[in-house]
Amino acid sequence: MPGEFDIIERYFRRPAPHAALGIGDDCALLQPAPGQQWAVSTDMLVEGRHFFAGTDPRRLGHKALAVNLSDLAAMGAQPHSFLLALALPAPDAAWLQAFSSGLLELADAHGIELVGGDTTRGPLNLCLTVLGLVPGGLALRRDAARAGDEIWVSGTPGDARLALGHLRGEWELSPAALERVRARLEQPQPRVQLGNSLRGVAHAAIDVSDGLLGDLLHVLRASAVGARIDVDAVPAAPDLAQQPVARRRACQLAGGDDYELLFTAPAQHSEEVLRASAQAGVRVTRIGCIEAEPGLRLRDAQGRSMPMEFASFDHFLQP
Ligand SMILES: [Mg+2]
């Protein structure tokens, strides 16, 4: 049975050319370029809470890093390095091999290097800490939304929640539809390039991890503003568009796990927003605007106001 050091050595060790010193000493040593700030974030994935027991380990490796990269994307930061703390019930070689390839493939795609970590025996639990770099003062922050800003969202939010509903038995999807939306749930694509391209263009940004409206509320509170959202302007992928309207809206507005970017930008920057979107190859859609009056107002396609009935996912409210 491989020990703690063998696991890191065998499955996770890679050259880390951007670190002054990578894995192997008591600490890694990192050197930011002059004028850059570190953007640092940590996220924990617990079996049974954030993912189902028996989830494909390759997809799990991808997702564990993707959700952390998504936080860097939301700040407009360029991924630099990460640390991995892993609790495993048993050192299963096939599981480790698949998990590390899912993780390191995404790491290579974004040029982010593993510079340290820890492994221990215990219930399956993945905790990653990511570090990114952003030019001083240019990070996209939650407290930077201003009245008059347009509100934009990337991609098609709600797909991950559509998959989750099937897996929980809330509704049933065709096998082909399930396959498509399940990939969105289990292998989200962090919008790193889009976040980087939005620096100096967008005001505030957040990644949609817990639900579009709930995450928007974090921005509104931090910025001390309100917003109007045109509910039916939120784009839906074909599988979600075919659902009953109430389900579609609930998935789009309250579903989590999509890891799309929600951001605000002054109206005079809309051309630049579209350029950033084209640069990143990610669709963006205008879904509302920031208003001075506090609170969140929802409007349907006919301009009728709608009740604010979409509670966001909150881990501490769940049984
Ligand atoms: Mg986040």
Side-chain angles (χ1 to χ4, degrees):
M1 186 191 78
E4 179 187 335
F5 298 106
D6 299 324
I7 288 179
I8 300 276
E9 193 62 41
R10 196 175 301 173
Y11 299 103
F12 296 101
R13 183 144 188 173
R14 285 281 177 93
H18 294 107
L21 185 64
I23 292 177
D25 211 312
D26 293 300
C27 292
L29 297 173
L30 306 175
Q31 181 72 52
Q36 303 273 309
Q37 287 179 322
W38 288 115
V40 184
S41 176
T42 193
D43 231 314
M44 191 154 56
L45 293 179
V46 177
E47 186 177 60
R49 165 60 60 179
H50 301 96
F51 59 92
F52 293 105
T55 296
D56 176 348
R58 191 185 186 86
R59 289 188 166 194
L60 193 57
H62 173 103
K63 182 159 181 176
L65 183 58
V67 302
N68 282 278
L69 287 172
S70 178
D71 282 325
L72 293 181
M75 301 294 289
Q78 182 62 40
H80 184 279
S81 39
F82 72 107
L83 300 116
L84 169 69
L86 185 60
L88 284 173
D92 174 337
W95 190 93
L96 278 162
Q97 187 57 53
F99 175 79
S100 65
S101 18
L103 181 90
L104 294 175
E105 247 165 51
L106 186 67
D108 290 346
H110 288 278
I112 189 168
E113 300 167 350
L114 183 66
V115 295
D118 193 20
T119 61
T120 183
R121 195 182 280 265
L124 186 56
N125 188 333
L126 319 164
C127 183
L128 275 80
T129 301
V130 285
L131 294 97
L133 286 170
V134 61
L138 282 187
L140 304 171
R141 298 165 48 140
R142 295 181 184 187
D143 61 2
R146 297 290 172 264
D149 280 1
E150 296 176 319
I151 301 172
W152 298 77
V153 71
S154 69
T156 54
D159 300 337
R161 183 63 183 83
L162 186 61
L164 191 61
H166 176 100
L167 298 173
R168 283 183 181 162
E170 294 168 349
W171 48 73
E172 203 170 326
L173 302 174
S174 72
L178 176 62
E179 194 47 42
R180 284 187 292 269
V181 291
R182 192 173 187 153
R184 293 268 290 150
L185 174 68
E186 295 181 348
Q187 293 184 291
Q189 297 303 321
R191 305 305 189 190
V192 171
Q193 167 70 58
L194 179 63
N196 274 255
S197 300
L198 286 172
R199 279 200 312 257
V201 174
H203 276 161
I206 190 167
D207 64 321
V208 180
S209 54
D210 295 336
L212 194 155
L213 295 187
D215 286 321
L216 174 61
L217 282 172
H218 294 310
V219 172
L220 301 184
R221 265 184 225 118
S223 301
V225 290
R228 191 200 75 229
I229 292 291
D230 294 309
V231 165
D232 294 320
V234 180
D239 293 313
L240 188 55
Q242 287 169 15
Q243 302 297 314
V245 64
R247 182 185 301 164
R248 167 178 63 78
R249 285 174 175 162
C251 286
Q252 290 174 305
L253 301 178
D257 262 343
D258 285 305
Y259 300 97
E260 294 296 348
L261 292 187
L262 180 68
F263 58 95
T264 82
Q268 66 269 24
H269 284 183
S270 59
E271 286 295 312
E272 285 155 278
V273 168
L274 294 172
R275 252 201 306 279
S277 151
Q279 228 168 45
V282 177
R283 147 189 201 176
V284 297
T285 309
R286 227 177 317 217
I287 59 166
C289 64
I290 297 290
E291 297 174 333
E293 188 193 339
L296 180 50
R297 291 158 289 278
L298 305 181
R299 218 168 59 168
D300 70 9
Q302 283 73 46
R304 293 178 299 220
S305 70
M306 295 174 58
M308 174 67 199
E309 63 197 2
F310 302 102
S312 204
F313 186 87
D314 184 321
H315 293 277
F316 295 101
L317 292 175
Q318 297 294 306

